[in-house]
Amino acid sequence: MEVVLSDDYGVFDEFQEYLLQPHPVTAWDALANHLRDKLEASHSTKIADNYHKRYESNQISSWLIHALSHANRDSEIIPLCEIEARRTASYDRLVGMLIDENRFKDAEDWILEGLNATRDKWRGTASILQNQLQEIREKELNWEAVAAIDVMKFIQQPTTQEFIKCKKCSEKIELWPKIRD
């Protein structure tokens, strides 16, 4: 596992493919314990402002999540993601999992926290969170909120594509004339 985690050039991709194959639950359990220890050892500092440290920590936690899932330790995944969201600004991963579990209220709470934490420093993450909020509103069939998010996206990035999306959604709820003007 250590060589996969430290491989920045894809040299050990074949070994990574082997690790992704089915293995006994006990092997996944042992790997999960090892990775949890490795992650906890690196928790001495908040690393959300250091891209390289964020990347390394996210690599470890991604493998840990995979190992926990295959070790039948699913109940540990969301709490781990909550800790890592604040530590590495990986709010989008946590929110995605909460959406998958239809825990929209929890997801929205984390989106708001994540937007506040990332909007200035990690605009890509903030954009993903904004898209996840829109996904929740679409699942709730809250078209007014979806349109409002589309308008906000167009204002933030006035492109033809954003304009078309904004217009299409606004027309769906018969608000385009008000929004356009």
Side-chain angles (χ1 to χ4, degrees):
M1 175 51 63
E2 299 305 317
V3 294
V4 171
L5 289 172
S6 63
D7 180 18
D8 293 332
Y9 302 103
V11 175
F12 293 101
D13 284 353
E14 288 184 25
F15 184 61
Q16 181 172 323
E17 288 176 26
Y18 165 77
L19 290 174
L20 292 171
Q21 294 175 5
H23 298 284
V25 171
T26 54
W28 288 115
D29 192 57
L31 179 59
N33 291 336
H34 170 74
L35 291 171
R36 182 173 296 283
D37 291 345
K38 184 175 183 66
L39 193 61
E40 286 175 0
S42 71
H43 273 194
S44 61
T45 59
K46 182 178 177 185
I47 60 172
D49 292 337
N50 182 316
Y51 179 82
H52 182 69
K53 293 287 185 187
R54 276 181 71 203
Y55 176 80
E56 286 178 347
S57 186
N58 281 326
Q59 291 288 93
I60 296 167
S61 58
S62 291
W63 274 104
L64 176 54
I65 291 165
H66 185 78
L68 288 169
S69 176
H70 286 80
N72 298 322
R73 293 167 56 182
D74 293 329
S75 64
E76 298 176 46
I77 293 174
I78 295 292
L80 167 69
C81 289
E82 290 173 345
I83 292 167
E84 290 302 299
R86 287 189 174 123
R87 185 170 175 266
T88 66
S90 57
Y91 291 92
D92 52 318
R93 174 175 48 202
L94 169 61
V95 169
M97 291 181 177
L98 293 170
I99 290 172
D100 289 345
E101 292 184 5
N102 293 319
R103 293 174 53 186
F104 299 145
K105 175 64 176 119
D106 292 335
E108 187 174 342
D109 291 343
W110 281 99
I111 287 170
L112 295 175
E113 179 178 322
L115 285 171
N116 287 328
T118 63
R119 89 175 91 221
D120 294 330
K121 179 96 174 156
W122 305 106
R123 299 211 31 96
T125 301
S127 177
I128 292 168
L129 292 169
Q130 192 177 54
N131 291 338
Q132 289 173 315
L133 179 60
Q134 189 168 31
E135 177 185 349
I136 291 169
R137 295 299 181 252
E138 288 171 356
K139 289 179 185 239
E140 295 171 336
L141 306 177
N142 185 342
W143 301 116
E144 289 84 6
V146 172
I149 293 169
D150 276 338
V151 169
M152 185 173 57
K153 286 180 181 179
F154 175 70
I155 290 168
Q156 290 173 342
Q157 188 175 8
T159 64
T160 303
Q161 180 182 0
E162 292 300 333
F163 177 81
I164 291 168
K165 286 171 35 181
C166 178
K167 182 179 182 210
K168 182 179 177 182
C169 186
S170 299
E171 286 176 336
K172 181 185 257 185
I173 57 173
E174 301 176 358
L175 285 177
W176 177 241
K178 287 183 179 180
I179 291 172
R180 182 190 63 222
D181 297 337

